[in-house]
Amino acid sequence: MEPTLQKKFGLGTAIAMVVGIVIGSGVFFKAEKILVATGGDLLLGIYAWLLGGMIMISCAATFAVMATKYERVNGIVDYAEAALGKTYGYYVGLFMALIYYPTLTSVLAWVSARYTAVLFGWDITGGACMTLSAMYLVGSYALNALSPVLAGRFQVSTTIIKLIPLALMAVVGTMYGLNTGMLAFNFENVVHEVDFWHGLFVAVVATSFAYEGWIIATSINAELKNAKRNLPIALMLGTFIVMLVYILYYVGLAGTIASETLMAGAQEGVRTAFSVIFSQRAGTVLLVFIIISCLGTLNGLMLGCTRGVYSVAVRSSSTVTPMFRQIDPVTNMPVNSAVFGLLLCGIWLVFFYGANLTTPWFGFFCFDSSELPIVTLYAMYIPIFLMFMRNETTLSWGKRFVMPVLAIVGSVFMIYAAYFSHGSAVLAYLIVFAGMLALGRMLLGPSGELEAA
């Protein structure tokens, strides 16, 4: 009998995964983009953070109900299979393993290196930064592959650390802004006018990256103690904490310096904001905290990435996939799946650089791999929610209809906003998406019966 994944994570780790995976990069990385997209209109930016957060919470609430009913080897894939059958679940698993996990993980490796480059005064797209991105990828992989329990503890520790700069900016920045009048100035003065809906759509799509990651917490449900109780609590409590922290941080940031200065500061903007309310040295120290928080997010994403191909392999009837179903008896990790996940991360890191950080390498096929895969996942949620409403006849009216309908509306909005924001790049991405899934099916074979763990 093959070794199986053991119950080794508790409720604290699950909550830390939800909060820790989501918080850590996007709020710093995308805050600048949201300011630019809204023309420095703080109120419109807050609307975007609030709308993106409500979409996240409504989806998490629906999956929280599913988490009380289904528990196998990978939450989102299990829910897709339960709602629409093993074939749909298999293709969702392929998407998660080949595109979703590795694209976000590779971007987070660069974001972590980006803030490290800012700390040392390096070019954020230069050779040193990209080499460090690769090193961060390998380091995160090593931590997860060699000691998943240690990786879980690292996740809890970095979650606590990453809340420090956010809490300081939320509280001190707001008080500073109220005392100096900077907060009122930024709310009353828009840098330049933008169309309301255009600004909102682009900003909400940007928040999708900042808010994404909570679904990855479901990837450890087979390793979570009392998963049917603890996972729903983690999803709901974690996502609400994230939305509240993001909005408070965004307001605090507006209390430090003029929006126009922050928008022009690019990657130095956050460091400048912290330096204004503390000191140059304190701003540097807090930048180190931001780097640690980004690494915590990277760790959580890598945790899901290393298990991605494993969740597909246990559903495949191919003669190739037993290799990816192997679990190391010492570390209790699907090692071959983890190695393949790291390879995919490396490939997507090269793509992200060539498509977004330098003179475009791929022509028509250049697209933002930090946002479009997330929107694809929202599209995949919709049929799951529809079948959930149809099949779960024993649930209360609110659980069966209200939250899924809100989640569907939010998902449709996110899809339209992505098309509005990215234009023809969406088509380029969909072609790559279809090609990757076809290639994955050739490699891993057709779907089969889920083997007993």
Side-chain angles (χ1 to χ4, degrees):
M1 182 178 180
E2 294 182 354
T4 58
L5 297 174
Q6 304 300 313
K7 303 286 186 179
K8 50 184 173 283
F9 300 124
L11 176 60
T13 298
I15 294 175
M17 276 198 68
V18 175
V19 177
I21 294 174
V22 177
I23 293 178
S25 62
V27 68
F28 308 115
F29 179 38
K30 294 295 185 179
E32 305 153 10
K33 181 173 180 177
I34 291 169
L35 269 176
V36 172
T38 58
D41 187 334
L42 284 180
L43 193 58
L44 182 56
I46 291 173
Y47 289 157
W49 283 114
L50 185 62
L51 182 56
M54 293 307 298
I55 292 172
M56 171 186 65
I57 291 173
S58 63
C59 291
T62 305
F63 282 119
V65 176
M66 294 185 193
T68 65
K69 301 174 72 65
Y70 311 115
E71 178 187 344
R72 292 179 187 171
V73 296
N74 188 321
I76 177 60
V77 183
D78 297 335
Y79 308 148
E81 186 177 80
L84 290 113
K86 62 184 182 182
T87 300
Y88 188 73
Y90 175 77
Y91 280 105
V92 170
L94 274 180
F95 164 73
M96 298 293 285
L98 303 182
I99 301 176
Y100 179 85
Y101 288 138
T103 54
L104 296 192
T105 306
S106 63
V107 171
L108 255 296
W110 173 74
V111 171
S112 302
R114 175 184 191 258
Y115 284 107
T116 307
V118 171
L119 180 65
F120 291 107
W122 302 341
D123 182 356
I124 65 169
T125 61
C129 182
M130 298 314 298
T131 300
L132 189 59
S133 301
M135 290 177 63
Y136 280 155
L137 266 184
V138 174
S140 179
Y141 159 79
L143 179 63
N144 278 275
L146 297 177
S147 180
V149 173
L150 182 60
R153 291 174 181 169
F154 180 73
Q155 191 66 36
V156 173
S157 301
T158 55
T159 297
I160 297 171
I161 291 171
K162 72 181 57 181
L163 290 174
I164 294 174
L166 292 170
L168 284 172
M169 179 57 74
V171 176
V172 181
T174 300
M175 293 176 61
Y176 179 87
L178 290 172
N179 288 333
T180 62
M182 182 59 70
L183 192 61
F185 175 83
N186 281 332
F187 267 104
E188 293 169 0
N189 293 274
V190 177
V191 177
H192 58 83
E193 295 291 337
V194 298
D195 177 75
F196 177 86
W197 292 109
H198 181 274
L200 183 65
F201 286 163
V202 175
V204 169
V205 174
T207 70
S208 71
F209 178 84
Y211 278 126
E212 192 54 27
W214 58 270
I215 192 64
I216 298 174
T218 65
S219 70
I220 64 165
N221 70 338
E223 302 163 81
L224 185 62
K225 299 171 184 176
N226 196 5
K228 290 186 177 182
R229 170 188 174 274
N230 288 336
L231 189 54
I233 295 174
L235 289 174
M236 291 307 300
L237 184 59
T239 51
F240 181 78
I241 290 172
V242 167
M243 184 182 72
L244 183 63
V245 168
Y246 275 10
I247 293 174
L248 292 177
Y249 168 82
Y250 194 68
V251 172
L253 198 65
T256 59
I257 55 179
S259 295
E260 185 175 9
T261 303
L262 192 60
M263 292 161 64
Q267 66 271 8
E268 288 281 356
V270 173
R271 185 179 189 175
T272 303
F274 277 103
S275 298
V276 165
I277 57 175
F278 297 104
S279 67
Q280 187 67 35
R281 181 174 296 179
T284 300
V285 171
L286 287 168
L287 184 61
V288 173
F289 277 59
I290 291 173
I291 294 168
I292 295 172
S293 72
C294 291
L295 291 174
T297 304
L298 174 62
N299 175 72
L301 288 167
M302 183 61 77
L303 191 149
C305 194
T306 54
R307 291 156 174 78
V309 177
Y310 172 81
S311 70
V312 176
V314 297
R315 290 172 164 83
S316 174
S317 59
S318 169
T319 56
V320 176
T321 51
M323 171 178 63
F324 295 114
R325 290 199 293 265
Q326 289 182 357
I327 297 176
D328 187 276
V330 176
T331 62
N332 194 239
M333 272 290 296
V335 177
N336 292 334
S337 170
V339 172
F340 192 72
L342 178 63
L343 173 63
L344 289 171
C345 288
I347 293 171
W348 280 109
L349 179 61
V350 172
F351 175 84
F352 181 73
Y353 176 80
N356 299 278
L357 302 180
T358 187
T359 303
W361 290 356
F362 308 109
F364 173 74
F365 289 98
C366 289
F367 55 82
D368 187 347
S369 55
S370 74
E371 293 181 1
L372 290 178
I374 298 172
V375 178
T376 308
L377 189 58
Y378 278 104
M380 289 181 165
Y381 289 161
I382 294 174
I384 297 175
F385 294 149
L386 290 172
M387 294 306 295
F388 176 81
M389 290 189 292
R390 175 187 174 186
N391 296 334
E392 301 299 335
T393 57
T394 60
L395 295 176
S396 66
W397 187 81
K399 289 183 179 179
R400 184 183 176 188
F401 294 109
V402 175
M403 293 312 299
V405 167
L406 290 175
I408 290 171
V409 171
S411 298
V412 170
F413 177 88
M414 195 66 78
I415 294 167
Y416 179 75
Y419 173 75
F420 189 89
S421 176
H422 290 274
S424 61
V426 174
L427 176 60
Y429 164 72
L430 289 176
I431 294 172
V432 173
F433 166 84
M436 288 291 290
L437 261 59
L439 184 63
R441 190 182 185 282
M442 289 174 57
L443 175 66
L444 298 174
S447 62
E449 296 296 333
L450 180 65
E451 295 190 359

